[in-house]
Amino acid sequence: MAGGGGGNRLDLPVVDLASSDPRAAAESIRKACVESGFFYVINHGVEEGLLKRLFAESSKFFELPMEEKIALRRNSNHRGYTPPYAEKLDPSSKFEGDLKESFYIGPIGDEGLQNDANQWPSEERLPSWRETIKMYHASALATGKRILSLIALSLNLDAEFFENIGAFSCPSAFLRLLHYPGEVDDSDDGNYGASAHSDYGMITLLATDGTPGLQICREKDRNPQLWEDVHHIDGSTVHRVVAVGKERYSAAFFLDPNPDLVVQCLESCCSESCPPRFSPIKSGDYLKERLSATYK
């Protein structure tokens, strides 16, 4: 789970995707997923220069006048702009909605396809925006697939397990650019950039501009909850983002399987004494349920 507020500092495992020992890397990921749900990734294959360009283009978009951003408001396919207060990740929050604004980019097909549901800012206004986003989306997708092969190994499965069951055949891969405000009004005192929530799908790759604010809660049922700060490292459960009095940019890449893939408990993860907790469901149906509960 993730969120904001005064938290303790947390040291998370660092997974090296260039490791010569994939089994050791897989074991490190397993330990991290069981204990915290978060880990850092280094040597991930996403060029530092591309990350810098991504955040530069993200900043350019969020600096546009509100009327230009609203013209690209999130559509029924969940592509486009989401203004502040439009999303409420924690239903128990007393506030109208979270402070952040964001922009969704979904799966990107080959050039020339007419069925692209994505919305794009005008090239006259932001000439390098679309190309930069496409490059980062492709790079993050490749990195996500490498991480999932290690997760498969950590579950005592073949490294190609997710590939073989069709998870990566037209996966639901969404990039979400996020902007958190610096100063907030008195009426928003105590509100969060992103209130407490857990992500919906397979994995989330989160790149940040280095500004602090991300926190995680490893025991969501504990009372009171213990929130721990996640510090930034270069090269690199329930969580939230707190307001720190400074603008913050991040990019969340959500890698989920093909929407028609049935998600169910793996045989290696259940038994007669420990039966599955959830019924099988198509990935796309599950994501729709979660999204509809998040947006007003």
Side-chain angles (χ1 to χ4, degrees):
M1 179 181 267
N8 299 325
R9 181 186 170 107
L10 174 68
D11 290 317
L12 294 170
V14 178
V15 176
D16 185 354
L17 291 192
S19 171
S20 59
D21 187 349
R23 288 285 176 183
E27 186 56 37
S28 179
I29 287 178
R30 182 185 181 92
K31 185 172 185 292
C33 289
V34 169
E35 295 182 356
S36 66
F38 282 79
F39 53 90
Y40 297 108
V41 175
I42 60 173
N43 293 318
H44 40 63
V46 181
E47 295 179 359
E48 184 177 348
L50 178 56
L51 277 169
K52 289 181 178 179
R53 295 196 302 277
L54 176 74
F55 285 122
E57 295 299 328
S58 177
S59 176
K60 290 176 185 176
F61 173 79
F62 290 118
E63 288 172 357
L64 292 175
M66 180 57 75
E67 58 266 25
E68 292 189 43
K69 293 185 287 188
I70 285 293
L72 297 170
R73 188 157 190 163
R74 180 178 56 88
N75 59 26
S76 60
N77 292 304
H78 290 282
R79 272 84 157 179
Y81 176 68
T82 302
Y85 308 110
E87 182 183 64
K88 189 173 181 176
L89 291 172
D90 183 357
S92 68
S93 172
K94 66 179 182 180
F95 295 95
E96 175 188 356
D98 298 341
L99 296 170
K100 67 183 178 300
E101 57 180 340
S102 68
F103 196 97
Y104 278 107
I105 303 98
I108 300 173
D110 297 328
E111 287 289 345
L113 289 181
Q114 301 301 310
N115 60 349
D116 184 4
N118 288 305
Q119 303 191 76
W120 302 99
S122 129
E123 290 193 3
E124 288 185 8
R125 289 288 268 160
L126 300 173
S128 302
W129 205 87
R130 182 169 181 168
E131 192 57 35
T132 301
I133 297 303
K134 289 173 62 177
M135 289 177 64
Y136 182 79
H137 191 285
S139 189
L141 178 58
T143 297
K145 289 179 178 179
R146 291 169 65 193
I147 294 172
L148 282 168
S149 71
L150 292 175
I151 290 177
L153 289 175
S154 78
L155 294 168
N156 298 318
L157 302 167
D158 292 336
E160 298 78 23
F161 174 80
F162 293 112
E163 183 83 49
N164 292 340
I165 63 171
F168 300 149
S169 174
C170 300
S172 180
F174 276 77
L175 172 62
R176 190 179 193 190
L177 304 177
L178 293 145
H179 171 232
Y180 301 91
E183 300 298 325
V184 297
D185 296 334
D186 290 343
S187 61
D188 276 314
D189 185 34
N191 197 2
Y192 295 108
S195 53
H197 65 284
S198 56
D199 289 347
Y200 310 151
M202 293 178 77
I203 59 170
T204 302
L205 307 184
L206 181 66
T208 77
D209 65 354
T211 303
L214 178 66
Q215 297 181 332
I216 70 170
C217 175
R218 289 184 283 178
E219 299 178 66
K220 65 180 180 179
D221 296 323
R222 175 176 170 171
N223 189 19
Q225 291 180 334
L226 174 65
W227 288 94
E228 298 170 285
D229 294 319
V230 179
H231 63 281
H232 173 81
I233 66 170
D234 290 328
S236 70
T237 285
V238 176
H239 53 282
R240 66 187 183 189
V241 177
V242 297
V244 294
K246 181 181 178 182
E247 279 189 302
R248 181 177 186 271
Y249 293 88
S250 65
F253 185 80
F254 305 103
L255 178 51
D256 300 313
N258 181 296
D260 290 325
L261 186 74
V262 175
V263 179
Q264 56 191 329
C265 187
L266 297 168
E267 291 183 7
S268 61
C269 296
C270 59
S271 63
E272 284 190 20
S273 60
C274 186
R277 294 170 56 198
F278 305 102
S279 300
I281 186 173
K282 284 187 177 181
S283 173
D285 292 341
Y286 170 72
L287 291 174
K288 287 176 183 176
E289 286 181 10
R290 293 294 303 267
L291 286 167
S292 64
T294 298
Y295 292 95
K296 295 175 293 186

